[in-house]
């Protein structure tokens, strides 16, 4: 499926006026949702879940093999003209933005351009074409891992990851862009989600791919508490963010948190403690040689806790995580463990 | 028995050591176990609370500290029953170069408090940067001393230890013993905000355990250390010189104090209340110093 599947461009639609928007706002139900990054593992699951009740279309630069016939998937780059055309043609009520480059394999510039410029353009288009709900999928990593982090950080804590982990500053910028959009366009319901590390058979996070390494390096003498959320819970949270009347920045926290060595043990893997300075140095070298996927800034997340409070989201939506820690760990349990 | 991995060798060694352990040691461990069994805690399926406290870790590692408590510092508590149930701030003097005072105060709450409880310590930021120490501190219930951490502990009904003198007290000189350094005001704002009773604790003994002759703060800054105390034995004897003298510890618990007011008041108004806590601690000093016959008894 490629660009040829783009729907026929309809008559040129003028941008929606604020008056029209007021009219549409009264009809609060979301009937059509567009998901960016739909070909990713989480995007696929979310598309399948939402399509039970809502008309779903998706966008991705990657091909999604075998989408269900009722889910229209367009192979478009967010930064390109075709995306605006698509949005104009599809006119979704809601947009879920999770089309990000989260790995480091293609370099800083690509990452930054896709994530930051892509988000900026997407938000602009959303404002222009009458989207009523925007859900931006950020991450708990934006707070940054620091020795002075308190437990139960709320959404008002500054997002300072770039201080020690400049490689993900684009992610911090995306979060900040979306939060600014929230205030600039109060007529649009904007939800910025900062979920903790996702664990599940299909959906992963940087933390879960780390835990699935054949040998799991840890920082000797450190054992920070790490939070996890099961993939089913994460999908529930995303659905609530789309469907419920909701606006704001929210941490999304799962059913529990444990020290990282306990997590490693629970999934049946073995930890290899490495002295911190050595770990950082080796990490930096191997990353530069592209032999290792994690920049040395990521090592701080194995040193210091980033523990969030999910209370605001729970109070606003009634969300309650259901997947327990042991169920999460079992779902990615390594063979022989 | 086959020993096929380093863990099983360790386990066997531990078992052998357990059998060889003299009965008085075993009794002390049994006492720790019995007290720990009564400590209330909100634990997840892996035995940790949300801040990484592990009662199991405390139970397994408490013995050396209990030995210090019983046989080295021979801690005596006075009026420990004044500590109310539920949330409470223990506010104490701080001295002695290394935080044995915090260790002994929390041990007292565990071994002699009723009900036994794990007093949560508020650690300096740099403690989290120390390998091993940071983990031991977290498993033992200490947290980075941010107002947010302290407030959430109090909200959860915990007993929190505060040393408002901070490093100023810890590194005070011998000539300044039993003289309280400047108090930080944060604890009082938190007490007002969370409506928490304060129990003043006067710790007698710690102020002589490691007599500070000078504090080479300039040199300390050069090495990026929080302080560089000069004592009769440190740095002369190296790390060994950090061992405290076997002074006798006396912990005097004062009457619980309740304060009312607005946490955002000016420093001056907060200071008035802080001064009342200081006075209560000094009162304990007076009584404690009069009651003891020497620093080792």
């Amino acid at each position: 499926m490629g660009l040829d599947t783009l729907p026929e461009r309809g008559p040129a639609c003028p941008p929606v006026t604020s008056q029209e928007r007021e009219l549409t706002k009264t009809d609060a139900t979301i009937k059509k949702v567009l998901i960016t990054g739909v070909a990713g593992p989480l995007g696929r699951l979310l598309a399948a879940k939402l399509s039970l009740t809502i008309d779903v279309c998706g966008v991705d630069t990657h091909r999604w093999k075998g989408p269900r016939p009722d889910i229209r998937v367009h192979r478009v780059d967010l930064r390109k003209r075709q995306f605006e055309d698509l949005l104009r043609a599809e006119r979704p009520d809601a947009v879920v933005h999770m089309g990000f480059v989260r790995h480091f394999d293609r370099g800083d510039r690509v990452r930054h351009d896709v994530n930051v410029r892509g988000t900026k353009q997407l938000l602009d288009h959303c404002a222009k074409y009458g989207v009523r709900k925007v859900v931006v999928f950020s991450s708990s990593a934006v707070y940054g891992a620091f020795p002075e982090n308190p437990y139960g950080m709320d959404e008002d804590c500054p997002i300072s990851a770039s201080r020690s982990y400049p490689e993900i500053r684009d992610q911090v910028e995306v979060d900040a862009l979306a939060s600014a959009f929230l205030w600039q366009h109060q007529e649009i319901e904007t939800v910025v989600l900062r979920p903790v590390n996702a664990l599940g058979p299909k959906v992963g996070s940087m933390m879960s791919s780390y835990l699935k390494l054949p040998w799991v390096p840890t920082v000797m003498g450190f054992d920070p508490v790490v939070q996890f959320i099961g993939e089913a819970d994460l999908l529930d949270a995303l659905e609530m963010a789309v469907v419920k009347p909701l606006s704001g920045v929210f941490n999304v926290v799962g059913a529990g948190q444990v020290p990282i060595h306990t997590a490693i043990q629970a999934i049946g893997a073995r930890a290899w403690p490495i002295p911190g300075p050595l770990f950082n140095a080796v990490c930096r070298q191997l990353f530069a040689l592209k032999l290792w996927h994690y920049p040395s800034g990521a090592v701080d997340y194995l040193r210091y806790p980033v523990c969030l409070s999910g209370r605001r989201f729970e109070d606003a939506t009634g969300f309650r995580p259901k997947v327990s820690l042991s169920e999460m760990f079992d779902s990615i349990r390594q063979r022989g463990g | 028995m086959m020993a096929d991995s380093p863990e099983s060798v360790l386990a066997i060694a531990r078992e052998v050591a357990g059998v060889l352990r003299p009965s008085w040691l075993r009794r002390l461990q049994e006492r720790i176990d019995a007290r720990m069994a009564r400590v209330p805690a909100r634990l997840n399926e892996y035995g940790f609370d949300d801040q990484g406290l592990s009662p199991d870790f405390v139970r397994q590692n408490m013995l050396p500290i209990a030995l210090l408590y019983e046989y080295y510092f021979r801690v005596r508590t006075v009026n420990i029953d004044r500590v109310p149930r539920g949330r409470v701030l223990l506010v104490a003097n701080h001295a002695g170069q290394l935080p044995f005072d915090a260790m002994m105060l929390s041990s007292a709450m565990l071994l002699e408090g009723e009900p036994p409880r794990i007093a949560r310590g508020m650690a300096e930021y740099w403690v989290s940067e120390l390998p091993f120490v940071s983990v031991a501190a977290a498993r033992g219930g200490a947290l980075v001393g941010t107002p947010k951490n302290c407030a959430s502990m109090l909200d959860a009904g915990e007993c929190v230890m505060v040393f408002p003198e901070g490093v100023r007290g810890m590194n005070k000189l011998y000539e300044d013993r039993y003289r309280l350094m400047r108090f930080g005001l944060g604890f009082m704002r938190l007490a007002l905000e969370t409506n928490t009773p304060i129990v003043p604790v006067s710790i007698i003994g710690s102020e002589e355990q490691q007599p500070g002759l000078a504090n080479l703060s300039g040199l300390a800054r050069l090495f990026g250390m929080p302080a560089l105390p000069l004592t009769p034995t440190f740095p002369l004897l190296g790390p060994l010189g950090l061992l405290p003298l076997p002074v006798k510890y006396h912990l005097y618990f004062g009457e619980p104090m309740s304060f009312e007011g607005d946490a955002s008041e000016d420093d001056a108004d907060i200071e008035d209340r802080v001064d009342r806590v200081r006075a209560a601690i000094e009162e304990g000093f007076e009584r404690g110093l009069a009651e003891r016959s020497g620093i080792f008894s």
Side-chain angles (χ1 to χ4, degrees):
Chain A
M1 188 177 299
L3 296 180
D4 50 328
T5 58
L6 255 180
E8 289 289 319
R9 203 192 283 187
C13 299
V16 181
T17 64
S18 60
Q19 204 181 3
E20 278 174 307
R21 188 165 276 142
E22 279 308 311
L23 287 175
T24 50
K25 205 178 175 183
T26 53
D27 178 22
T29 53
I30 304 288
K31 295 202 182 76
K32 186 195 258 188
V33 62
L34 181 142
I35 302 170
T36 70
V38 74
L42 184 61
R44 292 179 189 202
L45 290 176
L46 183 66
K49 186 176 173 82
L50 289 178
S51 67
L52 299 177
T53 48
I54 308 174
D55 186 16
V56 175
C57 55
V59 174
D60 207 304
T61 51
H62 293 89
R63 190 185 293 270
W64 176 8
K65 294 189 196 83
R68 297 215 328 239
D70 54 334
I71 304 172
R72 298 177 303 287
V73 176
H74 308 285
R75 212 166 157 202
V76 175
D77 188 321
L78 292 184
R79 298 164 294 174
K80 299 277 166 61
R81 174 86 202 170
Q82 288 96 324
F83 177 68
E84 188 177 353
D85 297 341
L86 173 66
L87 204 62
R88 192 187 298 119
E90 288 277 7
R91 292 281 176 158
D93 302 310
V95 169
V96 179
H97 183 31
M98 51 172 81
F100 302 110
V101 180
R102 287 271 167 99
H103 55 76
F104 303 95
D105 302 348
R106 284 166 65 199
D108 250 15
R109 298 250 309 260
V110 175
R111 223 183 110 107
H112 195 276
D113 196 60
V114 171
N115 293 350
V116 178
R117 198 157 66 87
T119 301
K120 174 71 182 138
Q121 297 202 346
L122 173 119
L123 292 174
D124 287 349
H125 298 332
C126 286
K128 200 166 159 192
Y129 296 110
V131 173
R132 288 183 286 125
K133 174 75 152 255
V134 178
V135 178
V136 178
F137 191 75
S138 183
S139 156
S140 61
V142 295
Y143 291 105
F146 299 107
E148 68 270 23
N149 276 354
Y151 290 94
M153 293 198 283
D154 61 23
E155 291 80 352
D156 301 329
C157 283
I159 47 176
S160 3
S162 353
R163 198 170 100 202
S164 61
Y165 191 5
E167 291 84 355
I168 63 161
R169 64 181 176 273
D170 56 295
Q171 224 170 304
V172 177
E173 276 173 49
V174 165
D175 189 293
L177 269 178
S179 306
F181 184 80
L182 166 71
W183 296 111
Q184 285 158 2
H185 294 275
Q186 302 202 355
E187 77 282 5
I188 301 176
E189 283 184 15
T190 306
V191 179
V192 182
L193 295 182
R194 295 176 184 159
V196 300
N197 308 292
L199 278 191
K202 298 212 178 81
V203 172
S205 54
M206 192 137 133
M207 182 59 82
S208 74
S209 50
Y210 158 80
L211 289 173
K212 286 177 190 164
L213 288 172
W215 51 281
V216 188
T218 59
V219 185
M220 190 181 278
F222 291 91
D223 196 9
V225 173
V226 182
Q227 290 178 307
F228 298 101
I229 183 169
E231 72 181 34
D233 284 336
L234 186 55
L235 286 167
D236 280 350
L238 274 162
E239 185 181 33
M240 284 176 170
V242 173
V243 175
K244 298 210 170 189
L246 188 69
S247 224
V249 182
F250 299 98
N251 297 335
V252 183
V253 175
Q257 50 210 63
V258 282
I260 194 156
H261 282 92
T262 306
I264 293 170
Q265 231 171 27
I267 64 165
R270 196 170 188 139
W272 293 64
I274 302 172
L278 180 69
F279 196 162
N280 279 87
V282 171
C283 202
R284 201 170 299 122
Q285 292 305 323
L286 292 184
F287 181 72
L289 295 170
K290 295 195 186 294
L291 294 172
W292 171 252
H293 298 290
Y294 311 97
S296 77
V299 177
D300 279 351
Y301 291 79
L302 309 177
R303 264 197 197 98
Y304 309 123
V306 184
C307 284
L308 314 182
S309 159
R311 193 182 292 170
R312 193 186 288 181
F313 188 67
E314 288 171 12
D315 289 350
T317 61
F319 169 74
R320 296 287 177 275
K322 293 182 198 76
V323 187
S324 73
L325 280 172
S326 51
E327 286 165 343
M328 285 183 233
F329 295 143
D330 283 346
S331 74
I332 63 159
R333 204 170 170 78
Q334 300 196 348
R335 264 177 305 137
Chain B
M1 209 183 285
M2 284 282 286
D4 48 5
S5 74
E7 278 94 358
S8 61
V9 173
L10 262 177
I12 294 167
R14 212 174 288 142
E15 215 163 286
V16 171
V19 175
L20 294 181
R21 197 180 270 179
S23 61
W24 57 271
L25 256 186
R26 221 174 309 150
R27 272 200 303 278
L28 188 56
Q29 183 62 52
E30 280 164 15
R31 185 168 149 219
I32 294 168
D33 292 351
R35 303 287 298 183
M36 281 305 298
R38 292 176 51 210
V39 167
R42 297 144 293 139
L43 305 177
N44 64 22
E45 46 194 315
Y46 293 94
F48 296 92
D49 83 348
D50 281 351
Q51 290 77 27
L53 161 77
S54 159
D56 225 36
F57 176 91
V58 176
R59 202 174 51 72
Q60 286 167 10
N61 295 281
M62 186 65 199
L63 191 61
I65 298 171
L67 283 173
L68 279 179
Y69 184 90
E70 290 288 335
Y71 299 102
Y72 196 79
F73 293 122
R74 295 148 288 136
V75 181
R76 165 179 164 253
T77 60
V78 180
N79 294 331
I80 194 169
D81 52 317
R82 282 175 170 172
V83 179
R85 286 164 187 264
R87 63 164 168 252
V88 61
L89 274 169
L90 302 181
V91 178
N93 55 312
H94 209 15
Q97 317 304 345
L98 286 177
F100 286 103
D101 45 5
M103 218 185 261
M104 292 306 112
L105 179 55
S106 61
S107 304
M109 292 309 298
L110 184 61
L111 296 172
E112 301 188 35
E114 204 48 56
R117 56 204 295 190
I118 293 177
R120 315 297 297 249
M122 293 283 124
E124 300 280 345
Y125 289 4
W126 46 263
V127 171
S128 322
E129 296 177 17
L130 302 176
F132 301 105
V133 178
S134 57
V135 179
R139 298 293 165 274
L143 296 112
V144 177
T146 65
K148 165 120 186 54
N149 270 342
C150 190
S152 55
M153 282 295 103
L154 293 174
D155 280 339
E158 299 271 0
C159 167
V160 177
M161 296 185 290
V162 185
F163 299 90
E165 289 176 278
V167 276
R168 292 184 294 275
M170 186 120 103
N171 303 114
K172 72 175 79 156
L173 303 182
Y174 187 63
E175 59 186 34
D176 291 328
R177 62 192 182 280
Y178 302 110
R179 196 178 299 160
L180 293 173
M181 300 286 117
R182 183 170 60 77
F183 267 33
L185 305 181
F187 78 93
M188 183 56 73
R189 292 190 194 280
L190 275 167
L192 294 173
E193 205 177 286
T194 56
N195 192 21
T196 301
I198 289 176
V199 172
V201 184
S202 315
I203 302 179
I204 310 283
S206 63
E207 308 252 346
E208 286 108 350
Q209 76 188 17
Q210 185 64 264
L213 303 176
N215 189 3
L216 310 176
S217 44
L219 218 56
R221 224 169 297 133
L222 195 67
F223 292 126
M225 292 156 65
L228 184 56
L230 195 66
T231 77
T233 50
F234 183 83
L236 199 64
L237 301 183
L240 267 183
L242 279 172
L243 280 180
L245 297 172
V247 293
K248 186 172 168 71
Y249 264 60
H250 308 260
L251 309 182
Y252 286 83
F253 291 81
E255 291 281 1
M257 308 168 84
S258 290
F259 294 92
E260 273 166 26
D262 187 353
S264 56
E265 281 176 45
D266 287 341
D267 278 0
D269 299 315
I270 298 287
E271 240 172 285
D272 285 346
R273 301 188 180 88
V274 170
D275 283 343
R276 280 166 55 200
V277 179
R278 280 179 71 108
I281 295 175
E282 281 163 349
E283 215 172 282
F285 283 165
E286 227 165 277
R287 182 178 161 198
L289 293 173
E291 278 181 12
R292 72 173 185 178
S293 49
I295 66 170
F296 298 110
S297 60

